[in-house]
Amino acid sequence: GQQVMQIPQYQHVQEGEDFTTYCNSSTTLSNIQWYKQRPGGHPVFLIQLVKSGEVKKQKRLTFQFGEAKKNSSLHITATQTTDVGTYFCAVNSGYSTLTFGKGTMLLVSP
Amino acid sequence: SAVISQKPSRDICQRGTSLTIQCQVDSQVTMMFWYRQQPGQSLTLIATANQGSEATYESGFVIDKFPISRPNLTFSTLTVSNMSPEDSSIYLCSVGDRATGELFFGEGSRLTVL
């Protein structure tokens, strides 16, 4: 099935700093999804990217899908303590099934 | 969207015992997915539960260890059999939105095996 590498594994920032996590695949992806999991919570869907070169924004979050559809990024501008959690990318690995990246844990210090 | 209820939310179990996790969805769905999330790790798909047919297991997971039931379109159970400390994980039930592909997750069942 599809495999996706996600980096960094962990990042600790000061509140107000920016944050970016990256997902990379060796093969072309049909689409990519992003999820956020707060500490002690369950994953919550953020967005799905489908088109080559697609860029979507949700307030301070910017999601990009590479031109070759092999990589994606999630960028948070001016992080806040509410952004704390683990961010996962996920790709289709079969009929209606998703494979998740290892996730990037974000810690934000006030 | 879908609302998913899982129980138990957490349990502490003894080695060698089995535990059944229940998952109830507020709407009828064809497929339900069971994921495992080991401490500090990502989510790993255990199996896909289809109503009216056998569950489809991912590589590394077998029916004897993780039997699944899917008696109707809103309910599924996952049993973790003959547990060992390595089975200590969060087990998550999820369903997908056919239109968007988005997955909705239950709150998870946190198992600790002593």
Side-chain angles (χ1 to χ4, degrees), chain A residues 77-92:
Chain A
T77 303
T79 55
Q80 299 176 358
T81 54
T82 53
D83 295 325
V84 164
T86 301
Y87 294 84
F88 295 97
C89 61
V91 299
N92 288 113

Side-chain angles (χ1 to χ4, degrees), chain B residues 30-43:
Chain B
T30 305
M31 289 186 286
M32 296 175 73
F33 307 99
W34 287 99
Y35 282 86
R36 181 177 73 183
Q37 188 173 30
Q38 294 175 305
Q41 302 297 313
S42 183
L43 291 83

Side-chain angles (χ1 to χ4, degrees), chain A residues 9 33 35 37 40-45 48 88 93 95-103 105, chain B residues 31 33 35 37 40-43 45 48 58 90 92 98 100-103 105-108 110:
Chain A
Q9 186 176 350
Q33 297 183 11
Y35 290 78
Q37 185 175 25
H42 60 277
V44 174
F45 175 82
Q48 175 169 271
F88 295 97
S93 54
Y95 181 67
S96 296
T97 60
L98 285 180
T99 294
F100 284 77
K102 291 192 179 297
M105 181 186 295
Chain B
M31 289 186 286
F33 307 99
Y35 282 86
Q37 188 173 30
Q41 302 297 313
S42 183
L43 291 83
L45 182 63
T48 302
E58 298 298 307
I90 300 171
L92 292 146
R98 294 190 69 175
T100 65
E102 170 183 356
L103 281 186
F105 288 88
E107 295 290 334
R110 184 183 295 269

Side-chain angles (χ1 to χ4, degrees), chain A residues 7-50:
Chain A
I7 56 171
Q9 186 176 350
Y10 170 86
Q11 189 153 9
H12 186 179
V13 301
Q14 292 292 122
E15 191 171 23
E17 293 181 336
D18 292 357
F19 160 79
T20 307
T21 173
Y22 302 89
C23 273
N24 299 295
S25 169
S26 59
T27 59
T28 303
L29 303 169
S30 56
N31 57 66
I32 191 164
Q33 297 183 11
W34 286 92
Y35 290 78
K36 176 183 179 182
Q37 185 175 25
R38 294 182 187 273
H42 60 277
V44 174
F45 175 82
L46 293 176
I47 209 159
Q48 175 169 271
L49 304 173
V50 179

